[in-house]
Amino acid sequence: MYKKPFHSKELSEFSFLVTGGAGFIGSNIVEYLLKYGAKKVRVLDNFSTGSKENLKLFIDNPSFELLEGDIRDMTTCRQALEGIDYVTHQAALGSVPRSINDPVTTNDVNISGFLNVLVAAREANVKRMVYAASSSTYGDHPGLPKVEELIGNPLSPYAVTKYVNELYASVFSKVYDFHSIGLRYFNVFGPRQNPKGAYAAVIPLFIDAAIQKQAPVINGDGETSRDFTFVENAVQANIKALLADNIDQAEIMNIAFGERTTLNELWQMISEVAAIDIPPNYSAERKGDVKHSLADISRANRLVGYNPEISIAAGLKITYNWLSSNSI
């Protein structure tokens, strides 16, 4: 992975903070930055959902720094931002079901924690802050493809928290002249995504089932569709957004591949990679889920040059091979 660079600036001149850097997307961003010679890559993580296993490849790199701490603590956030040029904020409690089961903790981490990082980044006068926004912000708006200006009512506590992040980012831009970029991720998948636990995402769950030669459980009739996005595309978006010039206001942009895949189609694709023929089991639809999702990615292309290059099919092969050889 990351065989070609997404940047033109010399990374050896800059220090980066990756909050949630022990997590799935965060650790992939860390991998890219270290591979291309960043001066310093500091990770802030409390390991509530991230894993030290995700950092084992980097721990001996002299440019890597680990700060174990919680974004809900302002002192920790200020310490993490010392000497940092760019921050990519990936720390959050994901999962719609998790937020429904525990909205208070989701709110504390995703809103209070986000605000702490935003304040600390502004105080540290960083060159740019990019943060993980979410396609869940589109809520019940029926339009497809999703365009950034048109959102509906949120369908879960998680969606509320991610929308509040965007509101705070907009206010900080107008009031403090501190301009950040929110990346509305659409169902990112790839290596280092954990298939275990109550809140695992659908692709690692399906791939784990395929490896075990077991039937997956599909919520609903399987015709629910998503714009699945391979993690290398999300890393590209982060790097290009961090280093983009001429951003003079808060920006939000969709980060996806731009294609819609149903859960039934997804299982068929994974079955072909795994060379199995096992029909799935079906169960009730989950609360808080939208039926269909598809992104318009033209704004990200226009503003930062985002151009996703790894297709869903290619990403599934890479992810299957990684999960087959890495027990989590």
Side-chain angles (χ1 to χ4, degrees):
M1 292 174 62
Y2 312 117
K3 294 179 181 178
K4 59 176 287 188
F6 305 130
H7 62 280
S8 56
K9 294 181 180 178
E10 182 54 62
L11 298 189
S12 63
E13 298 177 6
F14 304 115
S15 296
F16 298 82
L17 171 66
V18 184
T19 72
F24 157 49
I25 298 176
S27 63
N28 275 278
I29 296 171
V30 171
E31 179 180 349
Y32 178 92
L33 291 171
L34 289 174
K35 179 173 183 174
Y36 286 101
K39 177 183 176 182
K40 179 189 294 180
V41 181
R42 181 181 294 152
V43 164
L44 171 61
D45 207 298
N46 67 353
F47 299 102
S48 62
T49 58
S51 166
K52 291 186 178 178
E53 185 74 12
N54 287 341
L55 301 177
K56 67 179 183 179
L57 293 176
F58 321 127
I59 206 74
D60 293 327
N61 189 311
S63 297
F64 175 78
E65 251 180 49
L66 174 61
L67 175 59
E68 189 167 351
D70 198 309
I71 59 171
R72 289 172 288 184
D73 179 69
M74 177 57 91
T75 300
T76 297
C77 291
R78 287 180 171 135
Q79 180 184 352
L81 265 299
E82 289 178 4
I84 294 297
D85 297 300
Y86 296 96
V87 54
T88 173
H89 177 57
Q90 306 297 314
L93 272 185
S95 170
V96 165
R98 188 205 310 267
S99 75
I100 291 172
N101 292 334
D102 185 5
V104 172
T105 305
T106 296
N107 186 88
D108 286 347
V109 174
N110 294 1
I111 295 181
S112 296
F114 174 86
L115 182 57
N116 284 346
V117 175
L118 190 63
V119 169
R122 173 184 165 265
E123 290 176 349
N125 198 29
V126 300
K127 300 178 187 298
R128 174 68 46 73
M129 174 172 164
V130 171
Y131 63 93
S134 171
S135 60
S136 66
T137 298
Y138 289 105
D140 62 3
H141 192 282
L144 291 178
K146 304 297 185 184
V147 292
E148 288 84 353
E149 297 86 357
L150 301 176
I151 65 174
N153 298 304
L155 296 173
S156 68
Y158 174 73
V160 170
T161 68
K162 301 309 279 187
Y163 181 43
V164 171
N165 288 178
E166 296 183 9
L167 295 174
Y168 265 124
S170 177
V171 166
F172 268 59
S173 178
K174 294 169 184 173
V175 174
Y176 302 113
D177 206 31
F178 182 76
H179 314 306
S180 55
I181 300 177
L183 306 179
R184 283 184 185 160
Y185 293 148
F186 282 68
N187 295 87
V188 182
F189 71 96
R192 300 197 189 97
Q193 191 172 25
N194 195 337
K196 308 299 183 184
Y199 304 114
V202 63
I203 286 182
L205 279 174
F206 278 17
I207 290 179
D208 190 53
I211 292 170
Q212 305 300 327
K213 294 184 166 44
Q214 297 174 352
V217 175
I218 291 180
N219 297 306
D221 60 6
E223 291 308 298
T224 294
S225 65
R226 293 289 182 267
D227 195 335
F228 293 108
T229 313
F230 187 60
V231 68
E232 186 163 335
N233 298 328
V235 171
Q236 178 199 145
N238 274 272
I239 300 304
K240 289 184 173 180
L242 281 170
L243 301 175
D245 295 321
N246 303 318
I247 301 292
D248 56 4
Q249 62 183 16
E251 295 286 359
I252 296 293
M253 58 189 72
N254 293 334
I255 302 303
F257 190 69
E259 291 184 4
R260 193 154 55 107
T261 304
T262 69
L263 297 182
N264 287 327
E265 291 169 338
L266 177 66
W267 177 242
Q268 182 59 40
M269 294 168 76
I270 292 172
S271 296
E272 290 173 4
V273 173
I276 59 174
D277 184 14
I278 302 172
N281 296 322
Y282 295 89
S283 67
E285 297 215 17
R286 296 192 315 184
K287 291 181 179 179
D289 276 352
V290 298
K291 185 68 175 177
H292 300 295
S293 189
L294 173 67
D296 179 332
I297 56 175
S298 60
R299 177 184 278 185
N301 176 262
R302 184 177 72 254
L303 290 178
V304 303
Y306 172 67
N307 181 31
E309 298 179 352
I310 300 185
S311 68
I312 299 160
L316 286 174
K317 290 179 183 177
I318 295 169
T319 307
Y320 179 87
N321 291 335
W322 189 89
L323 280 170
S324 295
S325 57
N326 290 269
S327 58
I328 293 182

